[in-house]
Each structure stands twice: as C-alpha cells, then as structure tokens.
Amino acid sequence: MVDSLTLTRPDDWHLHLRDGVALRAVLPHTARQFARAIVMPNLQPPVTTTALALAYKRRIVEAAPDGARFEPLMTLYLTDRTAPDEIRRAREAGIVAVKLYPAGATTNSDAGVTDIRKTFAALEAMQREGLRLLVHGEVTDPAVDVFDREAVFIERVLDPLRRDFPALKVVFEHITTQDAAQYVAAAGANLAATITAHHLLYNRNALFKGGLRPHWYCLPVLKRETHRQALLRAATSGSPKFFLGTDSAPHAAHLKEQACGCAGCYTALAALELYAQAFDEAGALDRLEGFASFFGADFYGLPRNADRIVLKRETWTLPEALPFGEHVLAPLAGGETLSWRFAGEATS
Ligand code: DOR
Ligand code: ZN
C-alpha cells in the first residue's frame, strides 16, 4: 500500500475566494496547498471589468499569508453588455478567462447572461484574444427538472455555442453528470472540464442522509450514483480534458442552515485530501498528479509548477467549524475522518 504521495504542486482551476474578512479567512487554506487558482468573479457587485478584476487581485495578494507564493488567476463576469473592448483590455492585463453564469442559475448570478446571443460580440472577441470561456452549465428554465439542467444545457446552449465559436477554448465547470463527462470526452481539444472533489465523493443521497444536510448542497446539485461513477472514470482516465477545480464556495454556516440555504460546499481546507480519498477509492492514485497538477496548466497554456508537495496516509478528523469573520464556516464533511493528509512541500 502506498503511504506517501509526492506530486508536482497542484493548482485549483475553479475557486471562490469572496472578499474582505471572508477572503482573509479562506485564502490561507488554498494558498497552503495550491500554487495558483482561477478566482471566480461572482462577488457583489460582480467583477465585470478589467479595472475591478485588477483591484480584486490586489486585495487577494494583500490578504495572502506572509511568505505565500500564491498566484490568483483573474476572471471577468460575463453580462449581456460585456463589450469587445473590455475583452481586449482584459487580455492585455493578464486576465485569463471570462465566466458565463446564466442569469439566476446560482449564487450571485442575477447580473448574468439572460440570452447567450447577447454575448456573441464578446465571445467573438474572446475567441480572437485567446481568453477561455468558463461555463456554469445549467439552464434556468423552471420547467426543466433541477437534476436535468446540466444535460439540457449541453443540448440547448453549449453545443450550439461551440459550433458558432469553434476556436473558442471552453471549460465546462464542475461537471456533475455522465452526459457532461461523455460530451467533453467526445469533443475536440478546445473543450475541457473541471470536476470537484465533492462530486467525486458523494451522490445525492448525501443531501438526505438522516435528515436534510445543507452543507452538501451546491449547484449544480449532487446527482445519482451512476453519474458519480462516470465522473470518477473521467477524472481517473488520464485524459487531459478533465482537471481539478474545487468550486470551494464558502458561506457562513447560518446562511446554509436556514429555510432557504445558500448553495456551496467549503472544501478548500482539505481539498487535496478529499481528491486523494476519491482517487484512492478508485485505485487510481497514480492518476492524481496529471489531474491535479498538469492538465489544467496545459489547457490554460501556462507552465506547470516546478515545486512538489507531499500527501501522507494518515487518519485525521476534519474540524466542524472554522472562524469566518464574526461568523462560523462549516467545512464539508466536518467531523468526518480522512485517510490522507497534506504534509507540505517536498524537501528532496
Ligand atoms: O454551489 C455553488 N456555489 N455553485 C455555484 O455555482 C456558485 C457557488 C457560490 O458562489 O457560492
Ligand atoms: Zn463555482
């Protein structure tokens, strides 16, 4: 049995860092494990311009712990009014991607896209400038069952969009279904997908185990076991089209534990441990490094990291609560036992 894993330092290709005291509470967790992260722009108000993204980047860098060598990779929030000029400015400023939230699909998506055709000028500019399009892939049509929203999005939005913009590089974020895994695997090299640790570890039964479990509620929502199995196969397949994106999304515990609870699972505290658990259970620990450390950087055209980190097989218990400004943050699976533990930078 393997007791220790040494990996090229990984990156998180989908992360919510929030702002202010929340940012200061969560950033050390990500900066400890990852070299870089794609920072989601769904703040309030959203990060819709290059100027806002650069100001947010400065706040993140200032909030990083002393000595951290963490690099935030910034994104813009796509709206019906995003101008082609803004895309050019974004590329010149080193912004790497633009996030599509269908309006109303998830947390802070009210300013999102109401009709994909309204974004065509911006998408055209992104295709030209080489910015990636990151997609929250769910339709918002209330007539579509919540569990089918990702599959319907492929058919109604993603597939037509990829035909209209064949050279646009697209990341289908946090995929949750067999439909999405198959669609991405069959597509050309311009389409890739991120997969979260929680969608690899849990199916939708986790939401209802012994009662309603708000800390397992995220969007897209957990699906049935056949879908989890398909995601595991994709993540451990060795295909460079699938890579790590935690979608770690902190909300104060009381905002998840109320009548209308917020969507989002907080996994950054033990992100690599959770992924290692999923890959270990699938007998595929040898595939973790490609998924966590290589394929995302390759898709974004960025260098792979040079330093290495160590994970050790060690039993420990995830804390149930963490400080979060004047509130409390409840990590996903708090109180549960994990069998891998992040042990820091490799010394040799
Ligand atoms: O569960 C989610 N939480 N899904 C999202 O798409 C957004 C995120 C958040 O920002 O809380
Ligand atoms: Zn997200």
Side-chain angles (χ1 to χ4, degrees):
M1 190 158 65
V2 182
D3 284 327
S4 171
L5 272 176
T6 302
L7 305 178
T8 298
R9 187 180 289 276
D11 305 298
D12 185 348
W13 300 99
H14 185 128
L15 178 67
H16 298 270
L17 282 175
R18 313 301 191 210
D19 212 342
V21 286
L23 167 65
R24 286 192 286 281
V26 299
L27 180 58
H29 303 154
T30 290
R32 194 167 81 99
Q33 300 199 335
F34 297 100
R36 298 169 288 199
I38 291 280
V39 180
M40 287 296 133
N42 64 333
L43 302 182
Q44 269 176 321
V47 181
T48 50
T49 65
T50 303
L52 286 170
L54 292 180
Y56 184 30
K57 182 174 185 176
R58 275 193 295 279
R59 296 196 296 281
I60 296 169
V61 170
E62 278 163 18
D66 288 343
R69 283 171 298 169
F70 174 73
E71 185 187 359
L73 300 170
M74 306 311 291
T75 63
L76 288 192
Y77 185 112
L78 187 67
T79 74
D80 291 350
R81 290 171 307 282
T82 304
D85 262 4
E86 195 61 59
I87 300 297
R88 183 185 43 76
R89 272 194 292 279
R91 201 255 309 140
E92 286 168 1
I95 288 164
V96 295
V98 178
K99 178 73 186 282
L100 161 63
Y101 287 103
T106 186
T107 308
N108 299 345
S109 64
D110 297 351
V113 172
T114 62
D115 179 344
I116 193 71
R117 285 167 297 192
K118 295 190 172 164
T119 69
F120 275 14
L123 296 180
E124 185 77 52
M126 287 170 59
Q127 180 170 253
R128 193 170 56 240
E129 302 284 348
L131 260 71
R132 274 73 183 144
L133 175 69
L134 315 183
V135 174
H136 182 109
E138 289 190 289
V139 294
T140 54
D141 180 348
V144 176
D145 189 280
V146 165
F147 292 95
D148 296 333
R149 287 183 182 181
E150 186 172 280
V152 173
F153 182 88
I154 297 172
E155 179 193 311
R156 288 193 194 167
V157 184
L158 186 55
D159 198 54
L161 182 148
R162 292 187 48 253
R163 285 173 209 279
D164 287 333
F165 300 95
L168 182 63
K169 290 200 163 60
V170 179
V171 184
F172 196 167
E173 297 291 340
H174 43 53
I175 60 167
T176 63
T177 58
Q178 177 165 28
D179 313 63
Q182 285 176 349
Y183 181 75
V184 172
N190 283 347
L191 182 66
T194 53
I195 307 181
T196 77
H198 42 290
H199 290 98
L200 291 174
L201 286 168
Y202 301 103
N203 64 37
R204 64 193 188 180
N205 287 358
L207 280 160
F208 307 107
K209 194 172 156 196
L212 194 56
R213 300 275 186 163
H215 297 293
W216 272 262
Y217 174 56
C218 64
L219 288 169
V221 72
L222 294 171
K223 303 298 190 300
R224 64 167 66 241
E225 178 64 7
T226 47
H227 295 296
R228 187 185 77 89
Q229 292 289 342
L231 298 176
L232 259 183
R233 282 196 302 277
T236 61
S237 67
S239 162
K241 298 168 75 71
F242 300 99
F243 45 84
L244 185 157
T246 61
D247 198 17
S248 179
H251 292 274
H254 70 281
L255 297 178
K256 290 186 66 64
E257 297 164 1
Q258 59 180 344
C260 185
C262 296
C265 297
Y266 188 66
T267 53
L269 179 69
L272 289 177
E273 290 92 331
L274 294 167
Y275 280 107
Q277 187 119 0
F279 275 66
D280 197 6
E281 281 166 21
L285 282 172
D286 58 325
R287 294 280 167 87
L288 183 58
E289 187 177 38
F291 177 82
S293 313
F294 297 158
F295 303 151
D298 297 350
F299 188 80
Y300 276 84
L302 295 170
R304 295 177 178 182
N305 296 315
D307 59 332
R308 292 155 76 75
I309 56 96
V310 179
L311 287 164
K312 289 213 151 63
R313 193 183 292 280
E314 181 185 322
T315 305
W316 65 291
T317 305
L318 257 177
E320 290 184 43
L322 300 167
F324 194 56
E326 49 188 55
H327 300 293
V328 160
L329 177 61
L332 184 75
E336 292 188 12
T337 302
L338 300 182
S339 48
W340 287 93
R341 190 159 203 172
F342 179 76
E345 195 156 346
T347 45
S348 57

